[in-house]
Amino acid sequence: GDAALRRALYAHVLNVQGRCLYDLILYRLHESPEEEPHILLECDSSVLDAIQKHLKLYKIRRKVNIAPCLDLSLWAVVPGEQAGDTGGSLAQCADQALILTPDPRTEVMGWRLITKKGVNLSAIIPESHIGNIQDYHRHRYKQGIPEGVEDLPPGVALPLESNLAYMNGISFTKGCYIGQELTARTHHMGVIRKRLLPVHFSAPLPKNSIPVGAEILTESGKSAGKFRAGSGELGIALLRLANTNEPLCLNIAGDKVKLTASIPEWWPKTAGK
Amino acid sequence: SWCPAPLCGGRALLRSPPAPACPLGSPLRCASSFSQPGPTENDPSEGQVLLSESCVKITEGSEFLRLQVEGGGCSGFQYKFSLDTVINPDDRQGQRGVVVVRVFEQGGARVVVDVDSLAFVKGSMVDFSQELIRSSFQVVSNPQAEKGCSCGTSFSVKF
């Protein structure tokens, strides 16, 4: 596809060893290639300063301004339960906002909306109602969409295991980039044995009750993967694809907690083999 | 590291006919024309870019070698060499409207490095290397660099 024409792009910043550092969504503000490029970056707010510093390290003499946009608000417009929620009616609202565009990662994440702070949303999207941010995160975990440094720990997560390719976040035909050696080699060798998958616990768990990287086991006690992050009875875990259809469990402070994994509906149909 | 593109960008310059390859490095004299006072360095060679013998024999007349570092390549940064005759180039930056450079000279040969790039290459040696595949200027033994790519153009930094 023609990346230059798209309004939003999903991407990861990698380190030289090929591990994820930051996940980003880029939004194009300029309308044509003749205009000066003007791009918005969406990132985890807890690493805003680190990302700016990182970008400035590579800027050197180039004439690029990098600055936080504290006067803007970012919204996720997630499809409602009722039938008839279509993107078509949303597209008509686009000129009321700075950005209103489908989430570049996957259709199940709906649309992304960027407005100036304080704008009345029902003026932009009629018949919408403002939801709870926790519902947004639960929706992500249900679908297995990682976002931010908790889901993608910098220096730990691997892009292909994090489903970067399924989320349209990588090009295997572009030129040099940092972390290319491991990423391109893994892709061309063709075998990715573990991926981030949505998991469902038998009962909701209190926040922070699961230690970071807690081992997930099969019923026979073999290692199936590691827990990454979650909310209530939902979460995402890095699991061996070979073990996704079995009953699994976690040990928390001596107690055994059962969980099941599932293959997200939005993955390509050939995936999960 | 691995560069899938046919040749990394910013490759070095070819000169003909090459003189026979010479062993590296004599200590150099550092001339700081056009530079502003910077932080004092404890080790005299710390903030400098050294020139090997082979460089001295190659550059001639009023030409000098310009070394720049830019973001890019498979490891994050890449070297860019060019030959120039004008020390204050047209592109102007900074509040005072002047690009600040340091000039390193040895035996009449000069290499010019702007201060932004110097942070990435100080303490390095520039060599003119002649191989069957190409003859080119190379940055060898850069104390600021960590991993690099196998063709020698792209590198990552320690800081």
Side-chain angles (χ1 to χ4, degrees), chain A residues 59-107:
Chain A
K59 183 172 86 86
I60 315 192
R61 281 174 317 282
R62 292 199 174 106
K63 294 178 173 55
V64 178
N65 295 324
I66 302 166
C69 298
L70 305 170
D71 61 329
L72 298 180
S73 282
L74 173 72
W75 300 86
V77 184
V78 175
E81 304 295 319
Q82 304 100 341
D85 286 347
T86 60
S89 55
L90 263 188
Q92 292 157 25
C93 312
D95 34 312
Q96 310 284 328
L98 195 59
I99 295 276
L100 178 55
T101 190
D103 190 311
R105 294 172 293 187
T106 162
E107 224 174 271

Side-chain angles (χ1 to χ4, degrees), chain A residues 57-58 61-62 177-178 181 184, chain B residues 1 69 71 76-77 93 114 117:
Chain A
L57 181 64
Y58 295 98
R61 281 174 317 282
R62 292 199 174 106
Y177 57 88
I178 299 178
E181 185 173 2
Chain B
S1 221
V69 172
F77 300 96
Q93 296 173 355
D114 63 271
S117 298

Side-chain angles (χ1 to χ4, degrees), chain A:
Chain A
D2 202 347
L5 295 177
R6 291 204 249 134
R7 184 62 69 181
L9 281 178
Y10 178 55
H12 282 190
V13 175
L14 307 181
N15 63 15
V16 175
Q17 288 77 29
R19 305 248 168 200
C20 301
L21 286 178
Y22 312 114
D23 60 315
L24 302 172
I25 300 183
L26 295 84
Y27 301 95
R28 172 176 58 83
L29 286 179
H30 61 279
E31 291 300 332
S32 70
E34 290 79 45
E35 284 176 45
E36 196 177 72
H38 188 181
I39 301 190
L40 281 180
L41 293 188
E42 170 196 321
C43 66
D44 183 331
S45 56
S46 70
V47 286
L48 183 60
D49 287 341
I51 288 177
Q52 277 188 86
K53 204 164 145 207
H54 189 85
L55 292 174
K56 285 175 179 168
L57 181 64
Y58 295 98
K59 183 172 86 86
I60 315 192
R61 281 174 317 282
R62 292 199 174 106
K63 294 178 173 55
V64 178
N65 295 324
I66 302 166
C69 298
L70 305 170
D71 61 329
L72 298 180
S73 282
L74 173 72
W75 300 86
V77 184
V78 175
E81 304 295 319
Q82 304 100 341
D85 286 347
T86 60
S89 55
L90 263 188
Q92 292 157 25
C93 312
D95 34 312
Q96 310 284 328
L98 195 59
I99 295 276
L100 178 55
T101 190
D103 190 311
R105 294 172 293 187
T106 162
E107 224 174 271
V108 305
M109 287 303 295
W111 288 52
R112 272 323 211 217
L113 167 66
I114 300 180
T115 63
K116 288 246 183 264
K117 268 206 167 79
V119 160
N120 178 4
L121 284 192
S122 44
I124 303 182
I125 307 178
E127 295 174 20
S128 59
H129 72 273
I130 298 185
N132 188 322
I133 187 70
Q134 290 311 320
D135 292 336
Y136 169 73
H137 293 308
R138 286 174 58 80
H139 177 75
R140 285 197 304 103
Y141 288 136
K142 222 190 221 163
Q143 298 291 342
I145 306 272
E147 196 176 278
V149 294
E150 215 180 287
D151 297 346
L152 300 165
V156 172
L158 284 169
L160 295 179
E161 290 182 350
S162 308
N163 304 315
L164 187 63
Y166 293 170
M167 292 194 280
N168 310 308
I170 187 163
S171 161
F172 295 107
T173 55
K174 63 182 281 190
C176 301
Y177 57 88
I178 299 178
Q180 182 166 34
E181 185 173 2
L182 177 65
T183 310
R185 184 170 64 228
T186 308
H187 173 72
H188 288 297
M189 301 295 242
V191 185
I192 295 165
R193 298 189 198 281
K194 297 183 283 187
R195 287 186 180 272
L196 278 182
L197 283 157
V199 295
H200 194 290
F201 292 99
S202 46
L205 297 171
K207 184 115 182 98
N208 298 326
S209 55
I210 310 178
V212 171
E215 187 115 46
I216 295 178
L217 306 167
T218 63
E219 283 203 319
S220 55
K222 280 191 350 200
S223 171
K226 293 189 178 159
F227 184 77
R228 183 61 66 77
S231 167
E233 78 284 12
L234 302 173
I236 47 169
L238 186 66
L239 289 173
R240 287 187 214 288
L241 294 173
N243 296 126
T244 48
N245 291 324
E246 310 167 27
L248 303 166
C249 63
L250 250 190
N251 283 326
I252 303 179
D255 289 328
K256 195 163 110 161
V257 178
K258 291 189 181 176
L259 62 132
T260 52
S262 54
I263 303 288
E265 47 165 319
W266 56 270
W267 278 19
K269 291 310 160 205
T270 49
K273 305 272 187 299

